[in-house]
Amino acid sequence: MKKILLSLTLAFFAIAGFSQKLTPVKVDSLVTVSLPSTFQKKDTLGQHIYQANGLYGYMTVIVAPNEKNNTPLKHEKDLNSVFKNYIKNIQGQSGDGSAQNVRDTTIGTLKAKLFTLKSDDAAENVQLINFILIYTQDATYTFEYVYPESRKEFIKDEYKAYASSIHLSRDLQRNDQYLLSSNGMSSTVKIALFGGGALVIILVIVVLVRRKKKLAY
């Protein structure tokens, strides 16, 4: 009987999944994402916020313009610091939330950060939020997908459709995130150069000492 009920439940979710369609939405002139057609748009403190209920999760897209005098990032390590501080702030705002499965990805030509925030409510129900963060010189884009842990196995297709629908204009390039393609010499190169340089100095000293000894004789 339990197997029959489980099969009927899975069949219901499958049928419901076919009935839910996501529609492309242009959140600004550079970024497009697909949302349920019932989405709502709000403008708050200069931010554009798009929200919609999916079948299994709640979707939110936030377009937050950066300060007009925002200093351009120079290196990729500076971008990584922006991501790190963002995650730290999100954890701080959530109280006891913890960022999990933090990783990098690429959307178009830009680097993006993915992570899941796990937190408990007053009734000790576990809530998960999948974050996708894209930073550019002019704006920061945050894509959220909120769902209870109990739906974790059911949200996969819907979340995949939502996340994979993020499309960036070709006008957005790497230098819209940071200016220089190199962070400088890598640790391996530094070790090779400095280590090699030290070896050359030692060899020169040895040669000079031997010459002096030969001249002494």
Side-chain angles (χ1 to χ4, degrees):
M1 185 65 180
K2 288 183 179 180
K3 290 184 178 180
I4 295 174
L5 289 174
L6 178 60
S7 298
L8 290 173
T9 301
L10 293 174
F12 169 77
F13 281 125
I15 294 170
F18 284 115
S19 66
Q20 177 78 352
K21 292 183 179 180
L22 302 182
T23 304
V25 177
K26 208 166 187 179
V27 297
D28 65 12
S29 61
L30 299 171
V31 179
T32 301
V33 65
S34 292
L35 296 169
S37 58
T38 54
F39 76 88
Q40 294 182 339
K41 180 186 176 184
K42 299 177 181 178
D43 293 324
T44 305
L45 300 176
Q47 297 182 354
H48 305 305
I49 303 173
Y50 298 79
Q51 297 174 312
N53 273 311
L55 284 171
Y56 313 116
Y58 189 72
M59 305 172 197
T60 300
V61 181
I62 302 173
V63 183
N66 294 325
E67 297 293 334
K68 291 184 179 180
N69 59 350
N70 188 32
T71 303
L73 303 179
K74 289 186 177 181
H75 301 286
E76 185 176 1
K77 64 181 180 181
D78 300 321
L79 176 63
N80 292 335
S81 295
V82 170
F83 287 146
K84 184 177 180 180
N85 290 332
Y86 177 89
I87 295 173
K88 183 178 179 181
N89 290 335
I90 288 295
Q91 288 186 116
Q93 293 172 16
S94 67
D96 62 345
S98 63
Q100 302 182 349
N101 198 21
V102 181
R103 60 203 186 278
D104 295 328
T105 191
T106 301
I107 300 178
T109 59
L110 302 190
K111 183 175 181 178
K113 183 69 73 173
L114 281 67
F115 66 97
T116 298
L117 185 74
K118 183 176 182 180
S119 61
D120 299 335
D121 61 19
E124 297 186 353
N125 296 312
V126 178
Q127 176 179 270
L128 301 173
I129 307 177
N130 291 347
F131 280 88
I132 301 174
L133 173 66
I134 302 174
Y135 173 90
T136 71
Q137 174 66 24
D138 295 327
T140 300
Y141 302 86
T142 306
F143 303 85
E144 302 176 15
Y145 185 86
V146 187
Y147 57 100
E149 190 177 42
S150 58
R151 296 184 190 174
K152 189 174 182 179
E153 295 303 315
F154 299 116
I155 63 100
K156 293 180 180 179
D157 289 341
E158 182 173 78
Y159 175 67
K160 182 179 179 181
Y162 169 60
S164 63
S165 72
I166 300 171
H167 178 74
L168 308 182
S169 167
R170 292 181 180 178
D171 292 336
L172 283 175
Q173 297 296 321
R174 190 222 67 227
N175 55 11
D176 287 297
Q177 292 191 301
Y178 56 94
L179 301 178
L180 304 178
S181 60
S182 173
N183 286 326
M185 291 185 292
S186 66
S187 299
T188 303
V189 173
K190 287 180 180 178
I191 292 172
L193 286 176
F194 292 119
L199 181 60
V200 170
I201 293 172
I202 292 171
L203 289 174
V204 170
I205 293 173
V206 170
V207 171
L208 291 175
V209 170
R210 286 181 177 177
R211 284 184 179 178
K212 286 183 178 180
K213 285 184 177 180
K214 286 182 178 180
L215 291 174
Y217 286 115

